[in-house]
């Protein structure tokens, strides 16, 4: 009789995934609270005489900092390709936590005049550089430690952490809106979440120092060191990868900043929704967003990345405009908007690190994702809150629908990479 074959069940390296993901969660928490609480601190940092202009100036600062993300993606992505993913991730979290602490302690316009918005911009630039490197390096790290047949599952932890961070920011906003008056939120309450972000950053810094470097990086380090013009190399040798990354990232970033950032001030200021209802609806939908990440990642490991991305882009193109008509007073409509929008979005976010990492070889992965992903985010994501404020109507949602249609056509050209070995 033949011996029975014992199949050992795969065990997720939970400690490693949690350490990497918690650091990413803190990064995204710090980044998100700026947009979430902008309606409260705008008149503290800018002249209070014109509330609408103060908000536009604050959102312009938010948008301007995005244009430092490509620089951060390039510098810290290249740094990660040369010095390692772990080292780069320690640098990014230190920059982000420092920026959050600086914002929490900012003097107001009435105290120091135009020096206040200048300091705000400098803090946001530090955070922009940080997040530019964070997305590419955390994505590469998760993809490189994963077995090929489980890369979707491992990648899901990226947005589990991101969603958890946004949920914490939203719940904090809900709690502060319920316990503090609008005057208190504007005078001092908005500083609380930034202080929390600074403290959490220290915990994330400690966790990331314990991470091991990836074997993929160690094996390809010499290749990275020999590259003299790595950014040009991505265009010259991998133009298809660059084009596809830009195409689906355009829609991904529009979805992210529409649902997690732009809709909060839009619903309150332009559609008359109650701030408590908006924060509650966003919190419930974000919990759903987090819960769906791992199942969607597992689904892609079984059926493929491409079909999942096609369903996401097509459904977004068809549904985003009808959903926008439900934004207004009342919890019910807001719940439908946030839950449907973010539920669909999980089909992309759950596998984003895997899809992006599978586009580039290891010696170019940090820089390739970092530069081109962040350039796309700067153009389409950083301007989303400002555009939705300026357009002040359904035109913005037609803009998102058009982006979804373009992304669908780009994804049609994407080769299936489920189960493939990283190059």
């Amino acid at each position: 009789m033949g011996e029975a074959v014992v199949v050992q069940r795969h065990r997720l390296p939970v400690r490693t995934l949690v350490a990497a993901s918690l650091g990413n969660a803190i990064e995204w928490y710090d980044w998100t609270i700026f947009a979430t609480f902008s309606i409260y601190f705008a008149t503290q940092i800018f002249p209070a005489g014109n509330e609408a202009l103060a908000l536009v100036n604050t959102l312009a600062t938010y948008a301007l900092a995005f244009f430092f993300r490509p620089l951060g993606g390039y510098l810290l992505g290249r740094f990660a390709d040369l010095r390692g993913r772990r080292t780069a991730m320690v640098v990014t979290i230190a920059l982000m936590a420092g920026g959050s602490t600086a914002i929490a302690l900012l003097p107001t316009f009435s105290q120091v005049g135009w020096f206040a918005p200048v300091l705000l911009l400098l803090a946001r630039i530090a955070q922009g550089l940080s997040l530019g490197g964070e997305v590419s390096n955390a994505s590469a790290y998760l993809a490189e430690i994963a077995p090929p047949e489980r890369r979707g599952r491992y990648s899901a932890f990226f947005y589990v952490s991101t969603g958890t961070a946004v949920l914490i920011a939203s719940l904090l906003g809900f709690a502060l809106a319920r316990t503090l008056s609008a005057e208190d939120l504007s005078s001092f309450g908005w500083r609380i979440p930034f202080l929390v972000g600074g403290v959490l950053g220290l915990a994330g810094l400690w966790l990331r120092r314990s991470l091991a470097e990836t074997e993929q990086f160690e094996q390809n380090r010499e290749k990275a060191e020999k590259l003299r013009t790595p950014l040009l190399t991505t265009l010259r040798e991998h133009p298809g990868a660059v084009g596809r990354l830009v195409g689906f990232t355009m829609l991904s970033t529009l979805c992210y900043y529409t649902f997690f950032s732009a809709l909060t001030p839009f619903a309150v200021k332009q559609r008359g929704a109650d701030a408590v209802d908006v924060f509650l609806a966003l919190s419930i939908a974000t919990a759903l967003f987090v819960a769906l990440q791992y199942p969607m990642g597992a689904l892609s490991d079984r059926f493929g990345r491409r079909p999942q991305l096609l369903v996401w882009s097509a459904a977004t193109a068809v549904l985003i405009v009808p959903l926008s008509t439900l934004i207004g007073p009342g919890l019910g409509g807001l719940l439908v908007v946030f839950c449907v929008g973010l539920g669909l979005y999980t089909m992309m976010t759950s596998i984003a690190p895997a899809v992006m990492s599978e586009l580039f070889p290891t010696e170019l992965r940090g820089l390739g994702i970092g530069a081109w992903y962040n350039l796309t985010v700067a153009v389409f994501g950083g301007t989303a809150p400002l555009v939705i404020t300026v357009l002040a109507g359904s035109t913005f949602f037609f803009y998102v629908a058009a982006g979804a249609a373009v992304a669908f056509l780009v994804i049609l050209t994407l080769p299936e990479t489920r189960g493939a070995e990283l190059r």
Side-chain angles (χ1 to χ4, degrees), residues 357-378:
S357 295
E358 289 161 354
L359 289 172
F360 296 99
T362 301
E363 67 271 17
L364 283 168
R365 187 165 296 126
L367 180 141
I369 298 173
W372 298 113
Y373 170 88
N374 284 291
L375 181 61
T376 309
V377 169

Side-chain angles (χ1 to χ4, degrees), residues 108-149:
T108 64
F109 186 88
S110 63
Q111 293 172 328
V112 296
W114 286 102
F115 196 46
V118 170
L119 289 175
L120 175 66
L121 180 59
L122 290 175
R124 288 292 297 151
I125 287 172
Q127 291 188 316
L129 292 170
S130 169
L131 194 54
E134 171 65 22
V135 175
S136 58
N137 297 330
S139 294
Y141 188 87
L142 288 171
E144 289 174 6
I145 64 172
E149 72 279 3

Side-chain angles (χ1 to χ4, degrees), residues 28 36 80 82 172 207 269 325 376 421:
W28 280 98
T36 304
L82 293 173
L172 191 53
L207 282 168
K269 295 289 185 181
T325 64
T376 309
E421 295 279 352

Side-chain angles (χ1 to χ4, degrees), residues 159-341:
Y159 273 94
V160 167
S161 67
T162 301
T164 301
V166 177
L167 179 58
I168 291 171
S170 180
L171 287 173
L172 191 53
F174 174 69
L176 291 174
R178 286 293 299 269
T179 57
L180 297 177
S181 66
E183 292 77 15
D184 288 339
L185 279 170
S186 295
S187 64
F188 69 88
W190 63 269
R191 297 181 185 273
I192 296 172
F194 289 103
L195 281 173
V196 171
V199 173
L200 290 175
L202 293 176
L205 193 63
W206 177 77
L207 282 168
R208 284 197 161 171
R209 292 186 62 169
S210 67
L211 291 175
E213 192 49 78
T214 71
E215 290 183 14
Q216 283 279 336
F217 164 74
E218 298 291 1
Q219 293 169 1
N220 291 275
R221 186 173 189 166
E222 289 186 8
K223 289 183 182 178
E225 291 172 349
K226 291 177 182 177
L227 291 172
R228 290 293 170 262
T229 55
L231 189 62
L232 288 176
T233 301
T234 62
L235 286 171
R236 185 173 58 248
E237 298 184 10
H238 307 281
V242 172
R244 293 179 183 112
L245 178 61
V246 170
F248 60 68
T249 299
M250 172 188 62
L251 177 58
S252 178
T253 194
L254 279 177
C255 287
Y256 182 92
Y257 290 101
T258 295
F259 290 104
F260 282 126
S261 297
L263 282 189
T264 298
F266 174 78
V268 173
K269 295 289 185 181
Q270 299 190 29
R271 291 289 181 87
D274 182 74
V276 174
D277 284 345
V278 176
F279 281 124
L280 180 57
L282 179 57
S283 298
I284 293 170
T286 304
L288 174 67
F289 178 81
V290 172
L292 288 176
Q293 295 300 322
Y294 191 82
M296 287 294 183
L299 204 64
S300 81
D301 282 334
R302 183 170 183 180
F303 296 107
R305 325 283 193 226
R306 192 166 168 266
Q308 201 160 298
L309 294 177
L310 288 172
V311 172
W312 159 66
S313 55
T316 301
V318 172
L319 295 176
I320 188 67
V321 173
L323 280 175
S324 70
T325 64
L326 300 177
I327 301 169
L331 181 61
L334 293 168
L335 270 175
V336 172
V337 172
F338 282 113
C339 287
V340 173

Side-chain angles (χ1 to χ4, degrees), residues 21-31 93 96 165 197 200-201 203-204:
S21 300
L22 276 180
N24 181 62
I26 296 164
E27 294 272 354
W28 280 98
Y29 166 87
D30 285 341
W31 188 259
I93 200 167
M96 181 64 73
L200 290 175

